[in-house]
Amino acid sequence: MFISRCRPHLGLRGRLSIAQTMRCFVSEPYPFRVTSFKDVSEAEGRLISEQAKQPQTSVSLQTLMQTGRGEFLNRTYTDDKSIENEEATQATEKILIQVAGFLRRELPIRLAHRIQDLECVPLMSEMESVAGVKQLYTQSFLELVQFDSKITTPEQEESFAKLVETIYDRHSKVLVQMARGAYEVRDAIRRKQHEEGHRATKATFDQMESTHEFLDRFYLCRIGIRVLIGQYLALRQPPIENYVGIICSKTSPYHVVERAINDAAFMCTRKYGEAPDVTISGRLDLTFPYVPTHLRE
């Protein structure tokens, strides 16, 4: 897997524009490093710290598509001339091994950064739900670093795919757990303000700014992790026309908007008996490479 370096920027309220998410899937590192971690052994804490010191790799959608097509195989298999004639319609064993090798190196780094964030984020780190998320990330991190450091055979690649699919499913409820943690923070702040009055208010507001920055960083990087894993797992499936993994080379904004209009009209009609007409204007034939599910959600 080969990369392009870039720095994403968050929009208002932590929402990302299409252009921003297309540029790369990585976030800024935490401003300081953690030297010790709760609920992990000293050896595991050192391992997390070592991985968290390494920078995360920015990966653009273009790079994901090129890698899925096998355009970078010659950089990994420098002595294998047969790859020049490989079909680009579906991922071959060599492509899957190359992508798996990249994820084996990259995912522990990204998870270590998230564990570090979860360990020291103001207010939220003390919440039970957030501690549960940190435990999930720690479990996944340890499973990854215990896997073979180099993936060179189809058998290793298949075993690695099963591991990351398990991790992908395990982390599917993280958004719900983090939302629960936010509610826990709100209740804790209200109790503290009730007990200490205005003295606690200023300190709480100062902490909340850091907490908002953490949430922006956490959700952005979670998207990156799930896109990388989702792309790899999709490459292992039978090919679909105009798709490279989860990326559609001809994503149509018109069709996405049309589907959203139909869904909204259905709910409107069910609730109020009718729905307003909506007219879509502009370049209705426009298409571009993107992950359609991200637009629909």
Side-chain angles (χ1 to χ4, degrees), residues 29-30 32-34 37 45-56 108-117 141:
Y30 202 75
F32 56 87
R33 293 193 176 104
V34 184
F37 298 86
R46 284 197 303 268
L47 194 56
I48 294 170
S49 296
E50 289 172 4
Q51 291 290 317
K53 290 176 184 178
Q54 301 185 50
Q56 301 170 101
I109 295 173
R110 293 188 178 226
L111 292 176
H113 279 270
R114 304 287 63 77
I115 296 167
Q116 184 172 254
D117 264 5
F141 170 84

Side-chain angles (χ1 to χ4, degrees), residues 258 260-279:
E258 185 180 42
I261 291 171
N262 292 337
D263 290 344
F266 172 78
M267 290 185 287
C268 236
T269 303
R270 186 177 62 179
K271 178 70 175 179
Y272 302 107
E274 59 180 349
D277 294 330
V278 179
T279 301

Side-chain angles (χ1 to χ4, degrees), residues 58-253:
S58 299
V59 184
S60 67
L61 283 181
Q62 181 180 15
T63 300
L64 289 177
M65 291 186 69
Q66 290 174 317
T67 305
R69 290 172 177 155
E71 295 180 24
F72 295 140
L73 281 177
N74 61 331
R75 304 186 187 182
T76 299
Y77 302 95
T78 55
D79 299 326
D80 191 345
K81 301 301 182 182
S82 65
I83 62 172
E84 296 176 1
N85 300 318
E86 296 251 6
E87 293 289 337
T89 56
Q90 67 181 75
T92 62
E93 284 185 354
K94 289 188 176 78
I95 293 174
L96 295 175
I97 290 172
Q98 184 184 48
V99 176
F102 171 76
L103 292 184
R104 171 59 184 85
R105 296 188 301 275
E106 180 67 15
L107 289 179
I109 295 173
R110 293 188 178 226
L111 292 176
H113 279 270
R114 304 287 63 77
I115 296 167
Q116 184 172 254
D117 264 5
L118 290 163
E119 180 69 32
C120 56
V121 56
L123 303 174
M124 293 193 76
S125 63
E126 301 172 4
M127 302 300 110
E128 182 179 353
S129 297
V130 177
V133 172
K134 191 187 78 172
Q135 186 177 6
L136 284 181
Y137 274 68
T138 302
Q139 179 184 353
S140 299
F141 170 84
L142 294 175
E143 289 175 353
L144 284 166
V145 296
Q146 289 166 7
F147 197 87
D148 300 336
S149 59
K150 290 187 177 181
I151 299 174
T152 57
T153 68
E155 292 74 22
Q156 287 177 306
E157 185 275 324
E158 185 175 357
S159 296
F160 183 76
K162 292 177 181 177
L163 171 59
V164 295
E165 186 173 10
T166 299
I167 291 172
Y168 191 86
D169 293 339
R170 179 187 300 150
H171 290 215
S172 62
K173 304 296 184 183
V174 163
L175 288 181
V176 175
Q177 287 181 261
M178 292 300 293
R180 190 177 296 119
Y183 278 109
E184 292 171 359
V185 168
R186 183 191 64 180
D187 293 341
I189 290 173
R190 287 177 175 175
R191 287 195 302 270
K192 187 174 182 180
Q193 289 177 338
H194 178 74
E195 294 170 0
E196 301 182 21
H198 293 293
R199 290 180 302 171
T201 303
K202 185 179 184 304
T204 300
F205 277 125
D206 291 341
Q207 290 176 314
M208 284 302 296
E209 183 176 355
S210 296
T211 303
H212 281 301
E213 292 174 357
F214 156 77
L215 288 172
D216 287 342
R217 188 169 53 247
F218 181 87
Y219 289 131
L220 173 60
C221 203
R222 182 179 183 274
I223 291 173
I225 290 172
R226 293 189 72 77
V227 165
L228 290 177
I229 295 178
Q231 173 72 359
Y232 167 56
L233 295 177
L235 287 174
R236 304 187 84 255
Q237 303 302 314
I240 301 174
E241 186 179 4
N242 296 327
Y243 272 82
V244 179
I246 59 174
I247 304 168
C248 178
S249 60
K250 296 183 179 180
T251 301
S252 168

